[in-house]
């Protein structure tokens, strides 16, 4: 099958992000196209056996590549091949809402970049990135898996500033105390320096600057999310390992509705440590 430009880009997006709704594909790849046109083009990918869909009542139709579609993307060489893994149908249904919210978070940055003239595209974030670490004594090994690592370039009167974020998305499915404990993994990763490395942190092998941790809360009404935001700040400040990381690891929290409505450059996030105040996702914390 000869694919048109939209279908090639859409297939790449589905490969990279695993599960994407019809409307998200439109917004990522061709926001000016009519929804009916997007649906027809995606149906063409399905007819060719390159993509398939998950349909649930009262839920958006969600698309993913097939094994044949994954092979086509990898053969094209348009992205670095990553381990193609689509969970079984039952697991995909369970993960669908979380995965779609991670994509929606990335979309908030993509749409802000388009309106501002910044740089952030459909492939500017990588989902599920693992980072290994050991504790300070080197006796205990751990891993922290960011829901996404997102790259964004701010353009300000000719000056380009590159920012990287660890995105951790919570759909109000776990106790806030458990969510707060996940922050410890990022701090351990920041502090880990292998023996014999002259105390050079391991993260410097991957990042020129340690990414800011962005917690995005979703999966509930806004009042519930605001309460969870306040509770998360309280837990973070009460945990010695987390509170002691102030000045070393930047950590902010926002809600997906707030991020989606106003964009990441507006004051939509709150630092987890220090006085409560609304700042940009990229803003100074002190």
């Amino acid at each position: 099958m000869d694919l048109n430009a939209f279908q090639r880009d859409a297939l790449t997006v589905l490969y990279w992000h695993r599960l994407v709704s019809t409307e998200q594909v439109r917004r990522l790849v061709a926001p000016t196209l009519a929804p009916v046109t997007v649906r027809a083009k995606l149906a063409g990918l399905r007819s060719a056996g390159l993509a398939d869909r998950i349909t649930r009542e009262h839920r958006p139709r969600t698309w993913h590549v097939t094994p044949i579609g994954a092979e086509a993307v990898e053969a094209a060489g348009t992205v670095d091949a990553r381990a193609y893994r689509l969970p079984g149908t039952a697991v995909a249904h369970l993960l669908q809402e979380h995965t779609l919210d991670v994509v929606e978070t990335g979309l908030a940055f993509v749409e802000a970049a388009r309106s501002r003239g910044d740089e952030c595209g459909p492939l500017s974030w990588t989902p599920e990135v693992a980072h290994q670490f050991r504790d300070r004594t080197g006796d205990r090994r751990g891993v922290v898996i960011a829901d996404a690592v997102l790259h964004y370039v701010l353009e300000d009167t000719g000056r380009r500033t590159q920012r990287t974020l660890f995105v951790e998305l919570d759909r109000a499915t776990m106790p806030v105390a458990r969510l707060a404990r996940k922050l410890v993994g990022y701090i351990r990763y920041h502090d880990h320096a292998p023996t014999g490395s002259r105390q050079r942190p391991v993260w410097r092998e991957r990042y020129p600057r340690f990414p800011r941790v962005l917690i995005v809360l979703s999966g509930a009404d806004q009042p519930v999310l605001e309460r969870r935001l306040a509770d998360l700040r309280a837990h973070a400040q009460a945990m010695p390992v987390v509170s002691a990381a102030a000045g070393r690891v930047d950590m902010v929290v926002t809600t997906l509705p707030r991020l989606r409505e106003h964009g990441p450059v507006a004051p939509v996030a709150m630092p987890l440590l220090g006085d409560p105040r609304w700042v940009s996702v990229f803003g100074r914390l002190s």
Side-chain angles (χ1 to χ4, degrees), residues 168-182:
E168 188 72 35
L169 187 128
D170 172 70
R171 280 190 50 81
T173 56
M174 68 175 68
V176 172
R178 181 180 168 193
L179 177 60
R181 287 197 297 272
K182 296 185 73 172

Side-chain angles (χ1 to χ4, degrees), residues 135-151:
D135 62 15
R136 288 180 181 274
T137 65
D139 294 333
R140 186 172 55 189
R141 178 180 293 178
V143 61
V144 59
I145 302 176
D147 286 323
V149 175
L150 184 143
H151 302 280

Side-chain angles (χ1 to χ4, degrees), residues 181-196:
R181 287 197 297 272
K182 296 185 73 172
L183 299 171
V184 176
Y186 289 101
I187 295 168
R188 297 298 191 211
Y189 176 61
H190 173 274
D191 293 344
H192 173 44
T195 303

Side-chain angles (χ1 to χ4, degrees), residues 247-273:
R248 302 198 329 271
V249 180
D250 288 346
M251 296 173 283
V252 297
V253 58
T254 188
T255 68
L256 184 54
R258 189 184 295 273
L259 182 65
R260 189 163 42 200
E261 180 178 358
H262 302 290
V265 184
V268 297
M270 187 172 290
L272 283 176
L273 303 174

Side-chain angles (χ1 to χ4, degrees), residues 20 22 35 37 71 76 96 122 127 135 143 149 157-158 207 212 229 246 252 257 260 265 275 279:
V20 188
T22 305
T37 303
E71 291 175 4
Q96 182 175 5
D135 62 15
V143 61
V149 175
T157 61
Y207 306 105
R212 176 169 290 182
L229 187 152
V252 297
R260 189 163 42 200
V265 184
D275 296 332
V279 298

